[in-house]
Amino acid sequence: MKKSLVLALGLVLLFLCSPLAAKDRDNQLESFSKLYWNYQSNKAMGAAPAAGDGGVSGVTFVIIPEFHYAHHGELHSVISDSALKSQGGKSTTGALTFIATKSFNDWFSLSFLYQFSYTDYDGGLMVPDLAMFSLDSHSEIIQSSHLVGVYANFMTDAGKFEISVMEAWDIFSGTETSIINQELGAPIIDRRKVDSFDDRVFSLILWWDKEFGTGSFIVDPYLGWRTVHVVLRDMNNWAEAPGTLRSDSSSTHLVSGGIKLKYLSGLFTGYIRGGVNYRLTSDAIPGFSTRAVAPNVVNVGYMTSWDRTVFSWGLGFSYVVPEYLIFDLGYNGGAGSDTDFHSASLSLIFPF
């Protein structure tokens, strides 16, 4: 990767210093800045320049370090006809994403993505919500994830369409604790490790957006669909004795919609975004998850998919550093009735 970055910088510098490029340098850099705005890189989905924006072709490398924070209060819900509850908790996630994008022509580009993330969760555990006796719980979980995927961008007169296919592998360690409080005597504590637990997550996402306006101000509405299939392997079975494990799988579908307002001025671009994300399946989804709320905007953490409806927002800016690179600094957040989540990312883009 280091050699690739050096090569990318070298080619950019060679382009900027060549005689033919000298008079068009500012226009080309401004074109790179406008091109970047078609994807607003972020999160587990990452991002990459879409073909057809500014006439730029070739290969673009993107590096995205990011930080996620998710919080939830005490939870109560009925899942699969069982009344469950959990104490509140929070998770923090650090992630690093690498993307390579190839533009084949002015209407099609293809991207490859790899992301590694590391999450620390301190909070509750889903236990039966019973009136006959009091149950408490606690979880201290470390989760690491590997995500790979490909996605394609299609530029048409009707707008930009993006389709992505992703596969993630999550590995867990730590402990889960169930506590039965007795009226007489000490509480009964059952603490179990989660070192055997892992999962596989398949994700298919479709996005559409279309820019309206000319000059400095752009209006960019978007719509999206996501299908997720999760396979859980060797998780603790709390209905049985310690050491008993079980596996499970489930699928869910979500829809999104919203609007971005963009302001372009030379090598600088700023934006503000607002939208809504809705889960079509009725049962709440506990545990670690990713929630794709806007094109290339994915929040990561525990209980991010618990609320059926969440409102999301974002803001940020990008700037072209002449003779070096494009960088983008962004913040994205979301909240439902029981959860909220936030993320910050710094994207470094090397086009050539």
Side-chain angles (χ1 to χ4, degrees):
M1 179 58 68
K2 184 177 180 181
K3 291 182 179 179
S4 298
L5 297 182
V6 172
L7 177 59
L9 286 172
L11 290 174
V12 172
L13 288 171
L14 178 62
F15 168 81
L16 293 171
C17 295
S18 65
L20 292 177
K23 65 177 182 179
D24 295 324
R25 178 176 58 192
D26 291 341
N27 290 336
Q28 187 73 346
L29 287 172
E30 185 172 347
S31 174
F32 283 151
S33 180
K34 187 174 182 179
L35 165 136
Y36 176 75
W37 263 105
N38 269 300
Y39 64 91
Q40 172 53 30
S41 67
N42 179 36
K43 322 314 174 233
M45 291 300 302
D53 299 316
V56 181
S57 61
V59 179
T60 300
F61 291 101
V62 185
I63 301 175
I64 312 172
E66 53 194 353
F67 174 80
H68 301 264
Y69 173 83
H71 168 268
H72 66 88
E74 184 173 315
L75 304 175
H76 296 267
S77 185
V78 176
I79 302 176
S80 299
D81 299 324
S82 298
L84 301 173
K85 68 175 182 178
S86 173
Q87 294 179 344
K90 63 179 180 180
S91 65
T92 56
T93 301
L96 188 62
T97 305
F98 301 91
I99 304 164
T101 296
K102 170 64 178 178
S103 296
F104 292 92
N105 48 47
D106 62 354
W107 61 270
F108 174 70
S109 68
L110 188 65
S111 303
F112 170 80
L113 174 148
Y114 169 75
Q115 181 189 77
F116 175 77
S117 64
Y118 184 88
T119 299
D120 185 354
Y121 174 68
D122 189 349
L125 168 71
M126 301 306 300
V127 296
D129 191 358
L130 303 174
M132 64 185 68
F133 57 88
S134 174
L135 282 175
D136 287 327
S137 63
H138 189 72
S139 295
E140 294 181 346
I141 305 296
I142 297 295
Q143 177 266 345
S144 59
S145 177
H146 300 272
L147 172 71
V148 294
V150 294
Y151 57 97
N153 280 286
F154 302 88
M155 297 298 299
T156 72
D157 292 339
K160 183 180 70 174
F161 294 87
E162 179 177 291
I163 178 171
S164 65
V165 177
M166 301 283 169
E167 182 76 14
W169 176 25
D170 302 322
I171 306 168
F172 298 80
S173 63
T175 60
E176 296 175 332
T177 304
S178 175
I179 304 169
I180 301 177
N181 298 307
Q182 303 185 102
E183 292 185 5
L184 299 175
I188 301 174
I189 299 176
D190 184 358
R191 180 175 288 110
R192 306 183 186 186
K193 293 184 177 181
V194 297
D195 296 43
S196 299
F197 179 36
D198 65 32
D199 65 34
R200 301 289 189 276
V201 181
F202 170 82
S203 177
L204 170 68
I205 300 183
L206 304 174
W207 288 110
W208 167 88
D209 73 283
K210 182 175 175 61
E211 294 186 346
F212 296 91
T214 59
S216 298
F217 294 95
I218 303 294
V219 178
D220 185 11
Y222 61 85
L223 295 170
W225 171 278
R226 185 185 191 191
T227 292
V228 183
H229 181 70
V230 180
V231 177
L232 307 171
R233 309 194 309 180
D234 296 331
M235 57 184 171
N236 284 318
N237 185 355
W238 289 94
E240 303 292 341
T244 306
L245 305 176
R246 69 184 182 93
S247 299
D248 201 354
S249 65
S250 64
S251 297
T252 191
H253 311 283
L254 304 99
V255 293
S256 298
I259 192 168
K260 286 191 289 187
L261 304 177
K262 308 176 186 179
Y263 173 74
L264 290 77
S265 178
L267 305 181
F268 171 86
T269 305
Y271 81 96
I272 185 170
R273 176 187 61 81
V276 63
N277 179 262
Y278 179 74
R279 189 184 69 245
L280 297 178
T281 49
S282 59
D283 279 353
I285 299 176
F288 177 82
S289 67
T290 62
R291 192 150 191 165
V293 295
N296 303 308
V297 177
V298 179
N299 289 96
V300 180
Y302 269 73
M303 307 301 180
T304 60
S305 294
W306 176 269
D307 288 314
R308 191 168 188 180
T309 302
V310 298
F311 296 94
S312 68
W313 55 85
L315 56 89
F317 69 91
S318 67
Y319 187 76
V320 176
V321 180
E323 303 184 19
Y324 289 98
L325 76 163
I326 307 165
F327 76 89
D328 175 275
L329 183 63
Y331 159 76
N332 288 280
S337 59
D338 294 314
T339 65
D340 63 90
F341 40 83
H342 312 269
S343 64
S345 63
L346 173 63
S347 303
L348 306 175
I349 300 97
F350 303 90
F352 65 94

